[in-house]
Amino acid sequence: MRTVRLSFVGIFAVAAAACLWFAPGLLHGLPIVFAATITAFAAVFATAAWTVLRSSTTLRRWAIAASVLLVLLSLYVLTYIRPEHFAAALWTSAALGYAGLAVFGRRTVEATVSKPKPADTTVPGDGTSAWVSKIAALIAALGAVEGTAHWSAWAWRHRLPLHESPTIYLQYLAAVMLVLFLHEGGHALAGLMLRMKVVTFVVGPFRWWMEDGRWLFEFRALDIISFLGGAAVVPADMENFRRRKFAQVAAGPVASLLTGALAVFAILHAPDHAWAPAWRVLAYFATISLIVAFLNFIPFKMGSAYSDGAKLYQLRRDGLWADYHRLVAAIHATKVTELRPRDYDIATVERAAGTIARGADELNMHLCAYAHYLDNGQLAEARTALLKAEALCNASSLEPSDQWYAEFVFAMAFVGRDAAAARRWWNRMMQRESASKSKTHRQHARLVSRCALLLSEGRIAEAAEAWEEADAWSRQLPKAGASDAQRHSIQLLGHALHERLGSIA
């Protein structure tokens, strides 16, 4: 893998050099914005080459950005400029860009003892095909190129304005963002109409999410060319869940299909109308909307994420997959409803772990089993589930999500009674702290794990002080099942602390 990555250092470096070579020539007879744009592209390629070479922590983002840019530039030149002597080189460049997305687009899992089943392979019963999943991105890219070329030819035949400038990149980006917004908005609106609550909404670099009863916002500049979106909704109740979830999932591609069809209608009626100059943006929007709609009705898997079509297939069938979707919904619902970890369907949790839930999902299943048993006061079972989660982490490069680090410290110290293991997890948590978007929440949750750690190390006075702060924080949490479970854990810890104080007295 290192050899492959080093090969991309050369590819990105050559791309940067090519951009810098052509930039001065664009200054003759063309606006300076052309040269500035190409120079900016060169900076992206050069930064990607440097971060890959140095194995920087931002390696993945810059490499993905450079790979996407390589694809877009190559396809743009092939579509609009149509050079006679460089067509083969440009197609090769586009292929290398797709190869870069394949290499850097997913986190590799290198096992040190035994490697868990990778999350990006076909799982029995998930409705996907390995070959369809592999070519889904290529189908989308080819559809975008062919759609754009078709509308350009149509516009030329109908004598619509064909002025081209670097603003077409901004127009294309605006069209993508609008498509994502309407697609994810379809999911979110349908969820609200079906007694669900929106907890996360993502459109490219714009991210909104709910935490501790408050909405938070973050702008991630490097995700501006990710062309990804998401809308996480959770049911307020579990009545008729499958039927409601099926409609909510289908609402996204249906919204894209309807808005894409409206855009096609607007383009076809653009000649001799006031919106004729905007035909290109409408064409971009129509093409992308229809591709997103039809592609999302097809069951496929991209990395560890499933298309809407795959989710619809899984929800329609009886069995473990349908139960798993219901379980995942219940897990997320604990943040905004009265559902608690003790209410999880533990049978589905244990059946899913290692079968349909693999990699990071399998790790989450073990952690959810731990939370279920802890919330029910079954400490021995909680410890067993936790040890399974730790074993999975130790056997691979898998890492728990940020919010679970403090829980690992608490569990090792309080449930496992292992001060040394708790201290190791504490140190790992401190090393990752700066990377988390939920830093404020984790600083508060850390009080609970710190109290358990100090108690396991026999530092009773410090543990009592930490517990007082943790208890005060927990009382301010919103009314929700996850918050109630957190308060329950603090109460268990408080009882253990009082017992130790009593024995000392």
Side-chain angles (χ1 to χ4, degrees):
M1 179 58 71
R2 177 170 174 77
T3 302
V4 174
R5 288 188 175 186
L6 289 177
S7 299
F8 277 95
V9 173
I11 293 171
F12 295 149
V14 170
C19 289
L20 291 175
W21 177 270
F22 286 108
L26 295 176
L27 290 173
H28 302 288
L30 291 174
I32 193 173
V33 68
F34 279 90
T37 301
I38 296 298
T39 302
F41 292 162
V44 173
F45 288 125
T47 304
W50 178 253
T51 55
V52 173
L53 180 64
R54 297 296 299 272
S55 296
S56 170
T57 55
T58 59
L59 172 155
R60 186 167 174 266
R61 289 187 177 184
W62 281 108
I64 290 175
S67 299
V68 171
L69 194 57
L70 198 60
V71 172
L72 293 180
L73 276 175
S74 302
L75 295 181
Y76 170 78
V77 175
L78 284 166
T79 302
Y80 293 105
I81 301 178
R82 300 186 180 91
E84 297 180 1
H85 304 294
F86 298 102
L90 288 167
W91 280 114
T92 301
S93 174
L96 289 173
Y98 282 113
L101 290 174
V103 172
F104 301 103
R106 59 188 178 91
R107 302 180 187 276
T108 56
V109 179
E110 299 176 358
T112 56
V113 180
S114 63
K115 190 172 182 177
K117 298 176 182 178
D120 57 347
T121 57
T122 300
V123 180
D126 66 357
T128 66
S129 168
W131 69 271
V132 172
S133 298
K134 290 178 180 178
I135 66 172
L138 180 60
I139 293 174
L142 292 177
V145 172
E146 288 300 318
T148 302
H150 165 78
W151 286 118
S152 295
W154 181 88
W156 181 81
R157 291 196 303 270
H158 289 79
R159 298 183 180 181
L160 292 175
L162 296 173
H163 302 297
E164 296 176 2
S165 72
T167 59
I168 64 171
Y169 291 106
L170 295 178
Q171 294 172 5
Y172 189 86
L173 183 61
V176 170
M177 292 298 109
L178 184 57
V179 169
L180 290 177
F181 175 79
L182 293 173
H183 181 91
E184 303 304 338
H187 286 308
L189 181 59
L192 292 174
M193 295 173 64
L194 294 166
R195 304 194 313 278
M196 298 181 179
K197 298 182 179 181
V198 181
V199 294
T200 304
F201 193 81
V202 179
V203 176
F206 306 99
R207 295 171 177 266
W208 294 265
W209 74 97
M210 180 174 287
E211 186 174 286
D212 292 344
R214 297 182 297 114
W215 277 99
L216 303 177
F217 170 76
E218 182 182 31
F219 178 81
R220 293 186 177 182
L222 288 180
D223 286 347
I224 198 167
I225 56 173
S226 67
F227 303 154
L228 296 176
V233 298
V234 299
D237 59 77
M238 305 305 292
E239 183 180 359
N240 293 326
F241 168 76
R242 282 178 60 190
R243 185 176 299 176
R244 291 157 57 202
K245 186 64 178 178
F246 189 95
Q248 184 265 326
V249 172
V254 168
S256 295
L257 183 62
L258 292 177
T259 54
L262 288 174
V264 170
F265 179 84
I267 297 170
L268 295 177
H269 290 79
D272 302 323
H273 284 85
W275 61 88
W279 74 267
R280 191 183 296 277
V281 177
L282 290 171
Y284 289 153
F285 178 84
T287 301
I288 299 168
S289 285
L290 295 178
I291 290 173
V292 168
F294 288 115
L295 201 62
N296 266 282
F297 278 124
I298 299 174
F300 69 90
K301 191 177 184 182
M302 190 71 68
S304 60
Y306 284 103
S307 68
D308 292 331
K311 295 176 184 178
L312 293 174
Y313 174 87
Q314 294 160 10
L315 286 165
R316 187 174 57 86
R317 296 171 60 88
D318 290 324
L320 182 55
W321 272 108
D323 292 340
Y324 182 65
H325 279 283
R326 182 183 180 89
L327 169 66
V328 171
I331 291 171
H332 292 298
T334 59
K335 298 180 180 180
V336 292
T337 71
E338 294 183 357
L339 280 173
R340 288 179 59 160
R342 64 177 60 168
D343 300 318
Y344 294 163
D345 181 357
I346 192 61
T348 299
V349 172
E350 295 178 342
R351 287 168 58 210
T355 56
I356 65 174
R358 302 178 180 181
D361 291 333
E362 180 181 359
L363 175 60
N364 286 333
M365 287 298 98
H366 292 314
L367 293 172
C368 287
Y370 156 79
H372 168 83
Y373 289 124
L374 179 65
D375 200 26
N376 276 295
Q378 299 172 267
L379 299 187
E381 291 82 356
R383 183 176 184 275
T384 299
L386 181 78
L387 291 177
K388 289 181 181 179
E390 186 184 39
L392 188 58
C393 289
N394 292 336
S396 69
S397 60
L398 286 173
E399 293 282 352
S401 55
D402 290 331
Q403 64 265 30
W404 278 106
Y405 270 85
E407 198 64 35
F408 258 100
V409 178
F410 172 85
M412 289 298 178
F414 178 71
V415 180
R417 307 293 182 180
D418 189 339
R423 177 58 67 176
R424 287 196 301 270
W425 278 100
W426 175 271
N427 293 336
R428 291 173 66 174
M429 179 178 69
M430 299 305 291
Q431 290 175 356
R432 286 177 60 93
E433 181 172 85
S434 61
S436 174
K437 67 181 181 182
S438 54
K439 185 175 180 181
T440 301
H441 173 83
R442 290 197 308 113
Q443 284 177 338
H444 288 132
R446 194 175 67 190
L447 294 170
V448 185
S449 60
R450 181 171 179 268
C451 174
L453 175 62
L454 294 172
L455 181 61
S456 69
E457 293 177 337
R459 299 159 65 179
I460 308 301
E462 295 174 80
E465 182 180 348
W467 186 88
E468 292 290 344
E469 294 183 60
D471 183 58
W473 162 70
S474 70
R475 296 178 187 278
Q476 299 174 10
L477 293 175
K479 180 64 176 177
S483 300
D484 291 338
Q486 183 74 75
R487 284 186 278 264
H488 176 66
S489 298
I490 293 174
Q491 290 173 2
L492 292 176
L493 186 58
H495 292 320
L497 180 61
H498 287 307
E499 288 178 4
R500 292 291 298 273
L501 287 172
S503 63
I504 294 175

